[in-house]
């Protein structure tokens, strides 16, 4: 990202990024908070099954589908055009639970656990985003859909991009939340938070340093990169990453960033032609997501999610749901408030 482009990262975003710079004292405070504060939905998340009827909302079911390297766990509900949700790190499909029921009124909503994470199988390799996108596509195709609309947050957005780029005839609309692309701005973040270099370190460095007891402290620090940390169902994610093998899978996604950057730059001329909703949190990336995606897409709609940091689907689910209904709706609708203007179909 050039100096001119980097100026699009607002002071509010910089303040949000600084929340990641917590020292040992801050980490201990996060741990204490985690011990005494349980998010409202944590009990539901901790007992949500991995197959059969879902418990978080009626009409949804859990399932698994075979893909190269193993299988993918998904949660599905509703009917109509397929709307596929891809989560970020350090979360799982559960991050979408607040927006899925409403959107399932007009869509077949499919939330996927990324390979290696959540309840999906753990592949031996292939954590670069282009390979992961092909695995996600396999899962969606085997569920009966050859055309989809995609929503990705963090890692999910990095995976949704090559899905849309490499299979443009199959992706009609794309929404990306809270990340610039590898090769087009993501590298600018490496010096802002130490977790990038830590997670990207070769095995077994992070695996040896981080053990199960450290998960609430470390992930708790990550969840402080938010404006409304009380809205994040962090206990569910602590449990999801308590397995060392799943932490390694998360590290492998980070370790693939250099390869992702090379792949993205080599294929940047294959610009996205479908509409791209690029959303950043008011207290995080703001318009910076759109600045990055404009380098690879022709029709980018910038949106800033108010009263939200990095974890928009949990911090301001109402805004995301309202925006998604406009952007993925069957017809154009006039928004009822100005901050939704970029969401109009």
């Amino acid at each position: 990202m050039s100096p001119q482009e980097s100026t699009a990262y607002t002071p509010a975003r910089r303040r949000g990024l600084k929340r990641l710079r917590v020292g040992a004292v801050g980490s201990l405070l996060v741990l204490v908070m985690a011990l005494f504060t349980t998010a409202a939905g944590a009990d539901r998340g901790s007992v949500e099954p991995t197959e059969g009827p879902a418990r978080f909302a009626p009409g949804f079911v859990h399932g698994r589908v075979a893909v190269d390297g193993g299988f993918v766990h998904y949660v599905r509900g509703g009917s109509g055009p397929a709307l596929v949700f891809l989560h970020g790190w350090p979360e799982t499909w559960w991050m979408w639970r607040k927006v899925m029921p409403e959107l399932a009124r007009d869509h077949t909503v499919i939330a996927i656990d990324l390979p290696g994470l959540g309840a999906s199988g753990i592949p031996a390799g292939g954590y670069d985003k282009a390979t992961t996108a092909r695995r996600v596509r396999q899962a969606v195709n085997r569920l009966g859909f050859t055309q989809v609309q995609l929503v990705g947050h963090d890692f999910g957005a990095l995976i949704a991009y090559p899905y849309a780029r490499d299979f443009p005839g199959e992706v009609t609309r794309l929404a990306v939340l809270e990340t610039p692309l590898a090769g087009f701005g993501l590298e600018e973040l490496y010096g802002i938070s130490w977790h990038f270099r830590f997670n990207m370190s070769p095995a077994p460095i992070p695996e040896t340093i981080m053990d199960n007891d450290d998960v609430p402290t470390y992930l708790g620090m990550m969840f402080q990169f938010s404006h409304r940390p009380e809205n994040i169902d962090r206990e569910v994610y602590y449990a999801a990453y308590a397995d060392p093998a799943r932490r390694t899978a998360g590290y492998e996604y980070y370790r693939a960033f250099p390869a992702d950057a090379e792949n993205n730059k080599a294929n940047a001329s294959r610009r996205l032609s479908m509409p791209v909703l690029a959303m950043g949190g008011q207290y995080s990336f703001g318009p910076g997501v759109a600045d990055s995606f404009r380098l690879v897409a022709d029709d980018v709609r910038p949106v800033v999610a108010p009263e939200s940091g990095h974890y928009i689907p949990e911090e301001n689910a109402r805004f995301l749901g309202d925006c998604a209904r406009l952007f993925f709706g069957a017809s154009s609708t006039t928004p009822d408030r100005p901050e939704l203007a970029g969401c109009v179909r």
Side-chain angles (χ1 to χ4, degrees), residues 318-335:
R318 178 187 173 190
F319 178 83
L320 176 58
D322 291 345
C323 184
R325 281 192 295 275
L326 289 169
F327 184 69
F328 294 111
S331 60
S332 184
T333 304
T334 301

Side-chain angles (χ1 to χ4, degrees), residues 1-2 76 94 126 175 219 233:
M1 177 172 287
S2 69
R76 175 178 175 173
W94 184 247
L219 300 193
D233 211 350

Side-chain angles (χ1 to χ4, degrees), residues 33-303:
M33 290 170 61
L35 291 173
F36 288 94
T37 304
T38 300
D43 289 341
R44 293 197 309 276
S46 61
V47 298
E48 189 71 22
T50 58
E51 56 184 352
R55 298 176 182 173
F56 79 101
F60 285 86
V61 296
H62 292 260
R64 61 169 61 180
V65 58
V67 299
D68 289 347
F71 67 89
V72 159
H73 166 254
Y74 65 88
V75 183
R76 175 178 175 173
S79 61
L83 183 56
V84 177
F85 288 90
L86 305 176
H87 66 86
W89 183 90
E91 296 184 294
T92 67
W93 77 270
W94 184 247
M95 72 178 302
W96 305 110
R97 70 197 179 280
K98 297 179 181 179
V99 298
M100 291 168 65
E102 183 68 22
L103 293 171
R105 295 183 179 184
D106 303 306
H107 297 84
T108 299
V109 172
I110 304 169
I112 286 176
D113 272 334
L114 298 181
L117 305 180
S120 288
I122 304 175
Y127 288 91
D128 64 279
K129 308 311 172 289
T131 298
T132 305
R134 289 194 292 272
R135 286 172 171 159
V136 171
R137 175 179 176 260
Q138 281 183 330
V140 172
N141 289 172
R142 289 170 181 173
L143 289 174
F145 297 94
T146 55
Q147 280 206 329
V148 299
Q149 301 173 104
L150 296 175
V151 185
H153 173 267
D154 191 80
F155 276 1
L158 302 180
I159 294 161
Y161 165 65
Y163 191 148
R165 181 197 68 202
D166 297 344
F167 306 99
E170 300 181 20
V171 179
T172 58
R173 301 178 82 81
L174 171 65
V176 290
L177 281 60
E178 272 295 297
T179 185
L181 276 173
F184 296 97
L186 183 62
E187 298 75 19
E188 297 293 321
L189 305 181
Y190 294 176
I192 292 176
S193 172
W194 62 270
H195 86 277
F196 284 98
R197 294 294 189 188
F198 178 79
N199 287 358
M200 292 170 68
S201 298
I205 295 173
E207 285 89 344
T208 302
I209 294 173
M210 186 73 56
D211 63 26
N212 290 358
D213 291 339
D214 299 322
V215 169
T217 301
Y218 185 42
L219 300 193
M221 179 199 75
M222 299 306 303
F223 293 134
Q224 290 305 109
F225 182 24
S226 59
H227 181 60
R228 294 173 167 175
E230 70 280 2
N231 286 5
I232 299 171
D233 211 350
R234 62 179 68 196
E235 299 292 337
V236 172
Y237 308 123
Y238 296 163
Y241 289 87
D243 180 350
R246 299 203 179 277
R247 293 201 296 277
T248 289
Y251 303 146
E252 292 296 338
Y253 279 112
Y254 275 87
R255 289 165 180 153
F257 280 176
D260 298 334
E262 289 186 15
N263 179 271
N264 289 346
K265 288 187 285 189
N267 292 283
S269 62
R270 297 161 58 190
R271 295 178 63 83
L272 303 185
S273 59
M274 74 286 294
V276 177
L277 175 72
M279 183 183 295
Q282 178 184 358
Y283 296 98
S284 187
F285 291 110
V289 180
D291 292 339
S292 178
F293 276 83
R294 284 192 186 101
L295 301 175
V296 298
D298 294 329
D299 182 3
V300 177
R301 322 284 180 83
V303 175

Side-chain angles (χ1 to χ4, degrees), residues 25-36:
V25 174
S27 296
L28 287 173
L29 288 174
V30 169
L31 177 58
V32 171
M33 290 170 61
L35 291 173
F36 288 94

